[in-house]
Amino acid sequence: MFDIKKIPLFITAAALALSMASCGSGSSSSEMPRSTVKPPVEPDESVVDATGGEQQPAVNNIGEHLQTAYEIFSGDRYTYKCSLEAKDIEKPIQIERYKNGSKVYQSQQTAQGKRGFLADGSKVYEFDYLTYSYTDEGIYLPDVIESVVNGNLPQTSTHIKAKDGEVAEEYTYMGDTYITVYDFYFDSKNGSLKRYTSTYEVEGNDDYVETRTVSELSSSVGETAVFSPSFTTTLTDFSAFSSADRQTYCMDQCEKFGIDEQKLVSNGMAIDSFKKISYNDFIGLIYRYAGDNGGKAK
């Protein structure tokens, strides 16, 4: 059965995940988001008309307000800050995302810890300050806005709830096992993005809704220091482990956070699984139970 808690969030789409929540899908308060949702597939560039004639350009589904926001993301520089709230997240998750040329940095701060990624043009680093580890074999996670626009998702109007002074645009992603509805709300005067919701609809489950409130979206970068992978000098390099060392490290971390063999089994894992576990799966496991100890090691 599909488990809404397993949607990788980084912040989030993959997004994102991103999940990394990327600024940007469902998670419990004890599980770190990675990406918002599996990114929509790239649309066909053209379609064949009904008479079997020559291919015609595909219809652009993206509205003017979201397109304006996307133009910032497709530029050379931007700063994007938002907070993520959901019914099972006790304290809003703070998400920051920056771009400078070919480099993209994203972080998200929760009660459990800080986690993120840095794509520097040659490698993608993922880092985590709860386990003090990183990998240089990470995955770049597009933001939700990038995924919606690049996927050319169709516009819908199933449950837009615009407030006074807002205009809204809604887009729907039809997944294999679930539906995701994105409702974007813009300032009716200047067109700036104020917030958006992601609603995950799974048959047999209550809808899971996330709300991201935007505090800044601009075509400038104020934090250039984040584009340096200096954290690699202070964190443990997960990708450098041999299989035996990886197993030892993972077992030590599990012991710190009270993850016993029974919990491993409930996640379809065994101790031997740590020999080949990916960084994403390892971090996901830790955050799934970190909240049990208040986000701290035992």
Side-chain angles (χ1 to χ4, degrees), residues 51-267:
T51 63
E54 295 183 0
Q55 292 183 333
Q56 302 296 322
V59 175
N60 180 17
N61 298 320
I62 307 305
E64 61 175 324
H65 292 91
L66 188 62
Q67 182 63 43
T68 299
Y70 173 73
E71 288 172 1
I72 296 178
F73 282 93
S74 58
D76 288 335
R77 294 176 178 82
Y78 66 69
T79 294
Y80 185 25
K81 298 180 181 181
C82 67
S83 61
L84 165 64
E85 297 178 86
K87 61 181 180 181
D88 55 359
I89 298 177
E90 295 181 4
K91 185 178 180 180
I93 296 174
Q94 303 302 318
I95 301 171
E96 297 184 359
R97 187 177 177 106
Y98 304 94
K99 180 182 180 182
N100 189 10
S102 62
K103 298 180 179 181
V104 177
Y105 170 91
Q106 179 172 298
S107 69
Q108 53 190 44
Q109 180 71 53
T110 71
Q112 287 78 25
K114 182 179 180 179
R115 154 166 213 223
F117 76 86
L118 168 63
D120 69 355
S122 59
K123 291 183 177 181
V124 179
Y125 300 89
E126 289 189 45
F127 57 86
D128 171 62
Y129 282 94
L130 179 61
T131 60
Y132 279 89
S133 63
Y134 82 94
T135 180
D136 60 4
E137 300 174 345
I139 301 173
Y140 173 79
L141 298 171
D143 183 78
V144 170
I145 293 174
E146 294 177 286
S147 293
V148 170
V149 174
N150 291 332
N152 197 25
L153 296 188
Q155 285 200 53
T156 53
S157 57
T158 57
H159 49 67
I160 289 176
K161 296 180 180 179
K163 300 177 181 178
D164 290 341
E166 292 182 341
V167 292
E169 291 179 5
E170 179 182 288
Y171 301 84
T172 298
Y173 171 62
M174 302 293 292
D176 295 334
T177 54
Y178 60 96
I179 298 172
T180 308
V181 181
Y182 301 102
D183 293 297
F184 297 91
Y185 299 94
F186 307 86
D187 188 294
S188 60
K189 293 182 179 180
N190 60 28
S192 62
L193 177 62
K194 298 176 64 176
R195 61 189 173 91
Y196 72 86
T197 62
S198 303
T199 303
Y200 303 96
E201 302 176 357
V202 184
E203 186 175 358
N205 293 270
D206 293 335
D207 290 351
Y208 187 92
V209 182
E210 295 176 344
T211 299
R212 289 166 177 79
T213 302
V214 179
S215 58
E216 183 176 353
L217 177 57
S218 63
S219 300
S220 62
V221 179
E223 292 287 343
T224 57
V226 299
F227 298 110
S228 170
S230 57
F231 51 81
T232 60
T233 62
T234 60
L235 303 181
T236 299
D237 185 357
F238 191 86
S239 55
F241 284 137
S242 65
S243 59
D245 288 341
R246 180 170 299 195
Q247 182 182 43
T248 299
Y249 178 79
C250 292
M251 290 174 61
D252 287 344
Q253 292 294 319
C254 285
E255 183 177 358
K256 288 180 181 180
F257 292 99
I259 304 173
D260 54 25
E261 190 169 356
Q262 182 178 357
K263 290 179 179 178
L264 291 179
V265 172
S266 68
N267 282 273

Side-chain angles (χ1 to χ4, degrees), residues 13-75:
L16 21 142
L18 189 338
S19 202
M20 214 134 249
S22 151
C23 229
S25 84
S27 69
S28 68
S29 58
S30 61
E31 181 179 357
M32 185 61 165
R34 283 207 67 254
S35 72
T36 305
V37 69
K38 182 178 70 173
V41 296
E42 293 294 330
D44 291 337
E45 294 298 328
S46 58
V47 295
V48 179
D49 65 26
T51 63
E54 295 183 0
Q55 292 183 333
Q56 302 296 322
V59 175
N60 180 17
N61 298 320
I62 307 305
E64 61 175 324
H65 292 91
L66 188 62
Q67 182 63 43
T68 299
Y70 173 73
E71 288 172 1
I72 296 178
F73 282 93
S74 58

